[in-house]
């Protein structure tokens, strides 16, 4: 093994589907995955905020990740799951269509996204990678969580 | 997990103890300032500073030792009666106390504390230290604060081949035995120094008939081969010095040095000055004779267990779960249709009672008196009044009132703000006070009390009151209220809480208040509290904060609105009404009132206020909750149905995701569903109002 | 040899330090908050050595020694005075009150143990 190979440690990513597109998150930030249950809606919040659910005694805010990213709104089915993530002290649920796989990548496998500063959600997609000719978007959780505050205000 | 370092633990507990000592010190200083001349009062202060110094020395915290030592010296002068207590001196004591607190906290947080910061106070303290005492103080500080290590000084193993030989004679006097000293430990301590050959001289022992049991007849001579210095040999006799006859001399060929009476070794600096501290006359305190000093003493004897707050949090959470589970169980038992007299239902009742008792007890664990918080405020008053050159006296009341620890912590900032405001803006300048025929010394009162299940904390001043015309004008200038608006006094006073009312530019010339009061209000609201103002021209202003006793549970009314279940805090609901067609009037489109005993109360539909539905046109059959707000105004909230009244466990909502106007928190109901806990006042304030008779003419943002 | 020690000090930190210094060395350490508490504790134990602070609420160290010396079982129990003060006056007073020896704070564990050994073997 060369030194450079050692330097970039593989990152494990959880991949999931949103409107037939593939996304992924660092598995270190994923706490658990659970089935969709009806949420208690929160008044006066952006439409992608589905509300709050009871996660074993904790009030967990859940957002529809697809809607958050501006994808078409889909009906929720039993296959939908909530990925519970933790960022800093914030615990949140991300509603996705279905979880696909866990993959291991190194930095070399990932490419920066093209200039997305003009996109609807700059910074949310951290990098891109190709697996079996499918493009997988790697999400930046910190961006997803922190930028929400200004959206919600 | 690595095993915790015992020294680090003791050090941590030392800093906790320091907080208690600082509190006792503050307390004592306050009593001193109030003219309490009980000698125990100054003693308490002295002991607190003294104990801080002692502990600090053990941990090598030099800045603490130095400052505490000088502070203690002045206190000691007062204690000994050499220094009278003057107002200037108590002021200095307060300053020194505050400074000591700063040093303690800096040391605790491992923050650098430049000694130069103490210079001014030290030189003020020194002006109270007499020349002699100052010398003593300087000398005594020579005792080196030493950082403790747990490594014992083990005797070195490699002894040189021929250690010097010493001849020691030791002849105890009768008094030595009286003092509790024994020969054997001394001899064995000597033997520990090297190789000892000990002989006992019994030649002085008289015959049995003449033997006096209280007399000493024996003497010893010891030949000791040791590498230690003579001083160390003599140190063995430290405690018996003067109670026996001792000679120590070299017994080999080396030149004999017989030093007269070396000072004892254990820690005394050479040539220690005469004892400075006048130890209080031996006195066993007389219980009940001096009630003023009793509380502190009672504290000393109280057994206290220290518990990690995390563990309490966990307990609180578990009890929360227990309450929820109990509710679930109750719900399923009821749905089984069991007879209320069945064993299961009786058992459930008992279970509910126990659950509530456990819950109350757990909440008690977290409750703490507001006293430390109030003490911090007395410092704020001192600093703020010094900054604006006003003479201000802080009166505190209800310091023993207990409030949830979390509430206390989160009250510190808003209270600080309010106290500063009171000193800076509430109170007039000394000249103006004199002109108005008031005492030149302004007073700020801080009080706490339990009132009908809530804690009420009030900050009041005896200043000139809110300058309403000016406040009104500022609000108009800032575009916060329409120019032609006619506002009641209460409405004008409440302008102070509007965001954007106060900015730096209007602070300096504002004789009322308003420095960031919106921030204060937000902080209080986040604690589930309310803040109100009352003010009388020329007499002063009172801010009143009303808080829940704990952040963890709430007595709530569970209601249904547009298929959603919500919880309304019970304490704001004064009564419930069923709406009839003939009791509702429409003042103008969108503004409806309900008639309650001849009065008109504005109606708010909870469902539409929260965006669940469009405002229903026909309200007949709906239920209205009559809400009384802190300022006394009333409003009626329309709900579909009332389910229940019960205690619910408050679950915080993540600010980042869930902050929604009108929503205070959430709870988990018996069926596991989450219900939102609403904040009625917030909903009323945020519901867009049409200009009309009942709407306040304020442009508030929705 | 294990010794039983009673440490009387109103400072929790000091009590902890004494325990920390002595317990690993095999001493059994009892503690009390002040003189009054100390006399209460003494009702149930017969320590080999008593260590006491001077400045304490309710009953100070000198009064405490006086009380202890008046009780037959503890009349000759070695008593060490723990103090931040040094100087001959204190020693005279401590000795007059019946103390056996003294330890100046801050102490290090070795010196504390040495002092204990000097009075109790």
């Amino acid at each position: 093994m060369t030194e450079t190979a050692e330097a970039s440690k593989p990152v494990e990513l959880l991949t999931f589907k949103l409107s037939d597109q593939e996304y992924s998150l660092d598995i270190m930030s994923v706490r658990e995955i659970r089935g969709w249950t009806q949420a208690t809606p929160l008044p006066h919040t952006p439409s992608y905020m589905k509300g709050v659910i009871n996660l074993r005694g904790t009030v967990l805010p859940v957002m529809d990740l697809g809607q958050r990213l501006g994808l078409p709104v889909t009906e929720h089915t039993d296959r939908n799951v909530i990925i519970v993530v933790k960022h800093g002290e914030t615990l949140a649920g991300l509603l996705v269509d279905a979880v696909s796989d866990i993959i291991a990548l190194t930095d070399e496998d990932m490419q920066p996204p093209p200039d997305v500063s003009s996109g609807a959600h700059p910074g949310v997609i951290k990098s891109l990678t190709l697996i079996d000719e499918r493009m997988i978007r790697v999400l930046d959780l910190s961006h997803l969580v922190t930028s929400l505050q200004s959206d919600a205000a | 997990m690595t095993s915790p370092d015992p020294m680090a633990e003791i050090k941590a507990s030392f800093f906790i103890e320091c907080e208690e000592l600082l509190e006792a010190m503050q307390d004592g200083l306050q009593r001193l300032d109030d003219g309490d001349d009980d000698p125990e009062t100054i003693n308490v202060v002295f002991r607190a500073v003294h104990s801080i110094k002692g502990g600090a020395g053990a941990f090598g915290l030099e800045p603490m030792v130095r400052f505490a030592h000088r502070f203690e010296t002045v206190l000691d002068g007062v204690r000994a009666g050499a220094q009278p207590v003057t107002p200037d001196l108590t002021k200095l004591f307060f300053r020194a106390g505050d400074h000591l607190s700063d040093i303690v906290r800096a040391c605790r947080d491992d923050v650098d504390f430049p000694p130069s910061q103490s210079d001014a106070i030290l030189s003020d303290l020194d002006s109270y230290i007499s020349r002699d005492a100052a010398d003593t103080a300087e000398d005594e500080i020579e005792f080196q604060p030493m950082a403790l290590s747990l490594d014992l000084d083990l005797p070195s193993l490699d002894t040189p081949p021929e250690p010097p030989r010493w001849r020691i004679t030791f002849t105890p006097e009768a008094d030595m035995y009286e003092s509790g000293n024994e020969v054997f430990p001394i001899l064995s301590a000597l033997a520990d120094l090297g190789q000892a050959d000990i002989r006992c001289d019994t030649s002085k022992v008289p015959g049995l008939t003449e033997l006096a049991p209280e007399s000493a007849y024996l003497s010893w001579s010891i030949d000791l081969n040791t590498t230690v210095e003579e001083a160390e040999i003599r140190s063995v006799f430290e405690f018996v010095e003067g109670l026996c006859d001792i000679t120590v001399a070299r017994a080999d060929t080396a030149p004999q040095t017989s030093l007269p009476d070396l000072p004892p070794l254990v820690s005394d600096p050479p040539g220690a000055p005469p004892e400075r501290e006048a130890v209080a006359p031996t006195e066993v305190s007389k219980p009940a004779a001096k009630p003023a000093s009793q509380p502190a003493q009672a504290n000393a004897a109280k057994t206290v267990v220290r518990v990690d707050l995390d563990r309490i949090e966990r307990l609180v959470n578990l009890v929360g779960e227990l309450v929820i589970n109990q509710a679930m169980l109750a719900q399923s038992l009821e749905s089984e249709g069991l007879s209320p007299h069945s064993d299961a239902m009786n058992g459930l009742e008992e279970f509910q009672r126990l659950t509530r008792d456990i819950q109350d007890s757990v909440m008690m664990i977290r409750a703490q008196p507001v006293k430390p918080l109030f003490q911090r405020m007395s410092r704020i008053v001192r600093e703020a009044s010094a900054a604006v050159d006003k003479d201000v006296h802080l009166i505190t009341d209800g310091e023993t009132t207990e409030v949830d620890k979390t509430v206390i912590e989160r009250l510190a900032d808003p209270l600080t703000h309010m106290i500063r405001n009171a000193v800076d803006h509430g109170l007039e300048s000394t000249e103006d006070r004199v002109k108005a025929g008031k005492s030149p010394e302004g007073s700020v009162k801080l009080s706490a009390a339990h009132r009908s299940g809530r804690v009420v904390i009030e900050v009041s001043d005896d200043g000139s009151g809110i300058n309403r015309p000016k406040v009104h004008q500022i609000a108009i200038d800032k575009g916060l209220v329409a120019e032609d608006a006619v506002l009641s006094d209460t409405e004008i006073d409440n302008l102070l809480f509007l965001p954007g009312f106060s900015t730096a530019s209007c602070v300096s010339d504002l004789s009322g208040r308003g420095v960031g009061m919106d921030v204060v209000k937000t902080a209080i609201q986040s604690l589930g509290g309310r803040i109100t103002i009352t003010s009388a021209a020329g007499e002063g202003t009172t801010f009143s904060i009303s808080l829940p006793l704990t952040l963890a549970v709430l007595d709530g009314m569970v209601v249904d609105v547009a298929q959603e279940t919500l919880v309304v805090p019970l304490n704001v609901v004064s009564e419930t009404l069923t709406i009839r067609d003939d009791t509702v009037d429409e003042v103008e489109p969108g503004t409806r009132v309900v008639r309650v005993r001849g009065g008109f109360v504005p109606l708010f539909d909870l469902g539409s206020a929260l965006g669940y539905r469009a405002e229903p046109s026909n309200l007949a059959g709906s239920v209205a909750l009559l809400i009384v707000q802190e300022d006394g105004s009333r409003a009626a909230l329309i709900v579909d149905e009332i389910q229940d009244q019960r205690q619910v466990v408050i679950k915080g909502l993540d600010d980042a995701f869930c902050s929604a106007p009108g929503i205070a928190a959430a709870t988990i109901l018996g069926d596991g569903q989450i219900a939102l806990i609403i904040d009625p006042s917030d909903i009323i304030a945020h519901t867009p109002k049409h200009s009309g008779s009942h709407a306040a003419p304020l442009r508030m943002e929705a | 040899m294990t010794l039983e020690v009673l440490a009387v000090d109103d400072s929790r930190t000091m009590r902890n330090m004494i325990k920390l210094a002595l317990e690993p060395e095999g001493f059994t350490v009892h503690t009390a908050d002040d003189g009054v508490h100390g006399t209460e504790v003494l009702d149930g134990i017969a320590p080999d050595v008593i260590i006491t602070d001077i400045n304490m609420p309710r009953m100070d160290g000198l009064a405490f020694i006086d009380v202890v010396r008046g009780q037959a079982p503890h009349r000759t129990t070695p008593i060490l005075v723990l103090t931040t003060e040094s100087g001959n006056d204190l020693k005279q007073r401590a000795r007059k009150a019946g103390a056996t020896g003294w330890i100046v704070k801050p102490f290090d564990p070795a010196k504390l143990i040495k002092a204990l050994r000097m009075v109790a073997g």
Side-chain angles (χ1 to χ4, degrees):
Chain A
M1 242 201 276
T2 65
E3 275 191 52
T4 46
E6 270 179 9
S8 81
K9 276 195 337 210
V11 181
E12 282 197 307
L13 297 171
L14 176 74
T15 65
F16 49 90
K17 284 194 173 151
L18 288 172
S19 298
D20 293 328
Q21 297 185 355
E22 295 210 47
Y23 289 83
S24 66
L25 273 172
D26 188 340
I27 197 131
M28 295 306 286
S29 56
V30 176
R31 286 288 164 273
E32 66 177 274
I33 298 163
R34 48 168 297 147
W36 164 249
T37 44
Q38 193 59 46
T40 300
L42 286 168
H44 307 302
T45 49
S47 60
Y48 59 77
M49 282 306 303
K50 301 317 289 179
V52 285
I53 61 165
N54 173 10
L55 181 73
R56 290 185 303 281
T58 300
V59 178
L60 182 79
V62 177
M63 67 162 113
D64 183 328
L65 190 57
Q67 229 176 312
R68 166 83 179 92
L69 296 172
L71 300 171
V73 181
T74 51
E75 272 306 302
H76 303 306
T77 70
D78 287 348
R79 284 208 60 206
N80 290 164
V81 293
I82 294 170
I83 303 174
V84 181
V85 294
K86 188 163 191 188
H87 177 71
E89 287 303 299
T90 304
L91 205 59
L94 306 175
L95 179 63
V96 303
D97 291 352
V99 169
S100 322
D101 202 1
I102 293 171
I103 55 173
L105 295 179
T106 60
D107 280 349
E108 287 83 63
D109 299 328
M110 294 189 242
Q111 309 170 22
D115 183 11
V116 288
S117 59
S118 57
H121 303 278
V124 171
I125 293 171
K126 188 163 61 178
S127 52
L128 300 172
T129 188
L130 266 184
I131 301 277
D132 301 336
E133 296 307 307
R134 289 172 290 133
M135 181 179 78
I136 296 177
R137 300 152 188 84
V138 183
L139 293 172
D140 183 350
L141 192 61
S142 67
H143 213 281
L144 214 52
V145 172
T146 48
S147 66
L148 178 72
Q149 294 174 35
S150 50
D151 282 17
Chain B
M1 245 175 97
T2 53
S3 66
D5 171 10
M7 269 321 269
E9 265 180 32
I10 293 188
K11 195 166 173 181
S13 90
F14 165 63
F15 283 117
I16 294 171
E17 186 175 20
C18 276
E19 291 298 325
E20 292 163 17
L21 293 167
L22 289 170
E23 185 183 325
M25 174 194 76
Q26 281 285 350
D27 236 15
L29 288 179
Q30 194 58 56
R31 285 208 298 275
L32 209 60
D33 195 36
D34 295 343
D36 180 350
D37 58 358
D38 181 342
E40 180 59 15
T41 304
I42 185 77
N43 258 328
V44 165
V45 177
F46 176 85
R47 270 200 306 270
V49 176
H50 186 73
S51 290
I52 290 174
K53 182 181 96 172
F59 295 108
L61 302 168
E62 213 204 335
M64 264 166 88
V65 174
R66 278 193 178 274
F67 186 79
H69 182 73
R70 223 75 83 77
F71 188 8
E72 177 195 277
T73 306
V74 182
L75 288 167
D76 193 39
V78 175
R79 210 167 68 124
Q83 172 66 53
V85 179
T86 62
D88 279 350
L89 187 58
T90 43
K91 265 207 178 101
L92 175 61
F93 282 165
F94 274 123
R95 264 175 65 213
D98 292 345
H99 191 74
L100 183 61
S101 308
D102 289 345
I103 299 178
V104 168
R105 277 154 209 161
C107 287
R108 178 191 64 196
D109 302 337
D110 228 353
V111 176
D112 259 357
F113 197 91
S116 59
Q117 285 188 20
S118 308
D119 287 354
I121 296 179
L122 277 179
S123 81
D124 286 352
L125 283 172
D126 283 352
S127 67
Y128 286 92
I129 300 177
S130 67
R131 204 50 243 154
D132 285 357
D135 289 345
T136 312
E138 273 310 314
D139 285 346
E140 280 221 2
I141 201 73
E142 292 295 321
F143 92 79
Q144 282 301 312
M146 63 171 124
L148 263 193
S149 83
L150 280 178
D151 304 325
L152 298 182
D153 289 336
L154 294 173
S156 167
L157 288 176
D158 38 64
T159 334
E162 276 180 51
R165 169 183 291 261
W166 298 83
R167 161 66 57 87
I168 301 149
T169 64
F170 171 38
T171 312
E173 292 167 16
D175 284 352
M176 194 195 93
Y177 300 104
E178 287 287 299
S179 75
N181 279 289
E182 295 285 346
V183 172
F184 175 73
I186 293 171
L187 294 179
S188 67
L190 277 177
D192 285 347
L193 295 177
Q195 199 184 6
D197 182 13
I198 303 168
R199 269 154 297 150
C200 179
D201 178 0
T202 55
S203 58
K204 302 267 168 52
V205 182
L208 265 182
T209 47
E210 292 156 65
L211 192 85
E214 301 287 309
S215 300
Y217 302 105
L218 298 176
S219 65
W220 283 264
S221 73
I222 306 103
D223 285 337
L224 181 65
N225 286 336
T226 180
T227 51
V228 304
E229 299 290 314
E230 179 175 347
E232 186 157 353
I233 298 172
R234 285 187 180 269
S235 78
V236 171
F237 297 98
E238 179 190 357
F239 296 151
V240 294
E241 197 191 313
L243 301 175
C244 59
D245 195 53
I246 305 160
T247 62
V248 178
R250 282 291 285 266
D252 50 21
T253 51
Q256 293 197 357
T257 50
S258 181
L259 295 175
D261 242 14
L262 271 184
L265 252 204
V266 171
S267 265
D268 276 359
E275 171 54 21
R276 176 188 52 82
E277 182 185 341
V279 174
T282 301
E283 181 195 340
V284 181
S285 72
K286 309 161 198 72
K290 294 166 182 172
S293 59
Q294 289 307 303
Q297 298 179 358
N299 282 344
K302 215 178 195 171
T303 310
V304 174
V305 179
R306 285 183 185 281
V307 183
D308 194 333
L309 196 59
D310 286 348
R311 292 192 192 177
I312 296 179
E313 295 296 336
R314 183 165 156 68
L315 191 59
V316 168
N317 280 331
L318 283 174
V319 171
E321 300 304 313
L322 182 65
V323 170
I324 290 167
N325 267 289
Q326 173 240 289
M328 283 172 153
L329 184 62
Q331 206 160 324
S332 55
L333 282 180
E334 273 159 29
S335 66
E336 291 294 314
L338 290 178
S339 147
H341 306 296
S342 64
D343 286 351
M345 292 308 270
N346 284 334
L348 179 67
E349 206 168 291
E350 183 68 0
F351 180 34
Q352 280 168 337
R353 193 184 59 74
L354 284 172
T355 308
R356 194 171 256 266
D357 283 357
I358 293 175
Q359 197 172 21
D360 288 349
S361 313
V362 169
M363 295 312 155
M364 284 295 289
I365 301 179
R366 282 156 54 108
Q368 292 190 329
V370 293
K371 187 171 169 185
L373 179 67
F374 278 20
Q375 286 192 340
R376 278 170 76 178
M377 293 310 128
S378 75
R379 174 175 188 173
I380 302 296
V381 169
R382 287 195 293 278
E383 288 173 352
S385 57
V388 297
D389 200 21
K390 290 178 187 171
D391 222 356
V392 185
H393 181 57
L394 177 74
I395 305 161
T396 55
D397 190 28
E399 289 182 322
T400 53
T401 308
E402 293 199 337
V403 188
D404 190 287
K405 184 180 160 60
T406 326
V407 177
I408 289 183
E409 282 163 3
R410 289 166 60 186
L411 265 180
D413 283 348
L415 263 192
T416 303
H417 218 110
M418 292 165 71
I419 294 276
R420 283 207 184 117
N421 255 348
V423 172
D424 193 4
H425 304 291
L427 295 173
E428 318 89 323
S429 67
T430 310
E431 304 89 77
D432 286 353
R433 289 185 68 88
V434 173
K435 258 185 242 161
K438 290 179 173 179
S439 147
E441 187 187 55
S443 65
V444 171
K445 186 174 177 191
L446 182 57
S447 70
H450 280 168
R451 225 171 278 164
S452 55
R454 286 176 82 84
V455 182
V456 177
I457 294 179
E458 289 188 338
V459 177
S460 47
D461 62 61
D462 66 346
S464 57
I466 291 173
N467 184 340
R468 293 193 175 108
K470 199 157 187 173
V471 168
H472 194 177
Q473 190 54 49
I474 289 171
I476 291 170
D477 292 349
K478 289 185 173 291
L480 296 166
V481 358
E483 220 160 308
D484 54 353
V486 179
L487 301 185
S488 69
D489 284 354
T490 309
E491 283 167 342
I492 293 178
D493 294 348
N494 280 305
L495 289 173
L496 298 176
F497 291 123
L498 281 187
F501 176 82
S502 62
T503 64
S505 65
C506 72
V507 171
S508 52
D509 59 356
L510 178 66
S511 60
R513 311 162 181 252
V515 185
M517 285 309 289
D518 58 319
V519 177
V520 171
K521 187 176 186 179
T522 311
I524 299 300
Q525 280 178 336
S526 75
L527 289 170
R530 304 257 166 275
I531 180 164
T532 50
I533 320 176
T534 50
S535 177
E539 288 171 24
T541 308
T542 298
F543 283 86
S544 179
I545 299 171
S546 153
L547 292 162
L549 277 183
T550 161
L551 297 179
V553 284
L554 172 88
D555 282 310
M557 185 178 272
V558 184
V559 300
D560 281 339
V561 179
Q563 282 84 55
E564 297 295 335
T565 303
L566 296 167
V567 177
V568 184
L570 200 55
N571 63 310
V572 298
V573 180
S574 69
E575 60 183 295
T576 58
L577 319 160
T578 304
I579 302 284
R580 293 199 319 265
D581 247 352
D582 58 357
T583 53
V584 176
D585 300 288
E586 186 156 35
V587 179
E588 58 184 356
T591 305
R592 284 186 282 192
V593 294
V594 59
R595 280 182 236 159
V596 181
R597 287 182 291 277
F600 297 112
V601 178
L603 276 174
F604 295 85
D605 176 53
L606 196 50
S608 50
L610 293 174
Y612 293 154
R613 65 179 172 204
E615 189 148 342
S617 52
N618 184 8
L619 294 176
S622 306
V623 180
L625 311 181
L626 203 60
I627 307 291
V628 177
Q629 301 193 70
E630 294 288 321
D631 63 3
S633 68
R634 294 190 298 175
L637 286 184
I638 303 289
V639 301
D640 294 348
E641 205 180 328
I642 295 172
Q643 273 190 21
D644 198 4
Q645 284 183 16
R646 74 169 81 126
Q647 200 169 48
V648 297
V649 178
I650 301 175
K651 299 277 181 179
L653 287 173
D654 192 300
D655 287 346
F657 288 98
C658 312
S659 70
I663 304 300
T667 189
I668 297 170
L669 296 176
D671 59 4
Q673 278 294 310
I674 291 179
L676 299 176
I677 301 173
I678 65 157
D679 178 344
S681 298
D682 203 31
I683 285 177
I684 292 161
H686 279 87
T687 300
K689 292 165 189 166
H690 307 267
S691 60
S693 53
H694 285 92
L698 306 180
R699 287 182 206 145
M700 291 190 134
E701 283 165 24
Chain C
M1 179 165 123
T2 74
L3 290 180
E4 207 171 334
V5 177
L6 169 66
V8 187
D9 199 309
D10 57 334
S11 158
R12 190 168 58 241
T13 303
M14 274 304 152
R15 294 195 301 270
N16 284 340
M17 305 264 293
I18 293 170
K19 280 175 91 94
L20 184 66
L22 298 184
E23 283 177 346
E25 298 298 307
F27 290 80
T28 304
V29 183
H30 305 271
T31 59
D33 299 349
D34 58 33
V36 174
H37 188 198
T39 56
E40 286 163 10
V41 173
L42 273 183
D43 282 346
I45 59 169
D48 299 300
V49 187
I50 297 168
I51 301 171
T52 178
D53 186 24
I54 295 287
N55 277 297
M56 293 184 291
R58 298 208 293 178
M59 185 194 286
D60 73 14
L62 298 180
F64 172 65
I65 296 171
D66 211 34
V67 171
V68 172
R69 285 285 179 245
Q71 297 177 343
H74 312 298
R75 209 175 68 84
T76 58
T77 304
I79 301 176
L80 293 179
V81 171
L82 192 59
T83 171
T84 48
E85 287 79 33
S86 49
N88 291 320
D89 278 7
L90 176 81
K91 283 169 199 172
Q92 292 306 328
R93 234 192 342 265
R95 194 171 270 170
K96 221 168 167 179
T100 310
W102 44 86
I103 304 161
V104 178
K105 290 189 274 193
F107 58 85
D108 77 43
K111 283 192 176 144
L112 176 63
I113 289 167
K114 183 177 163 196
L116 286 174
R117 295 285 182 210
M118 261 151 56
V119 295

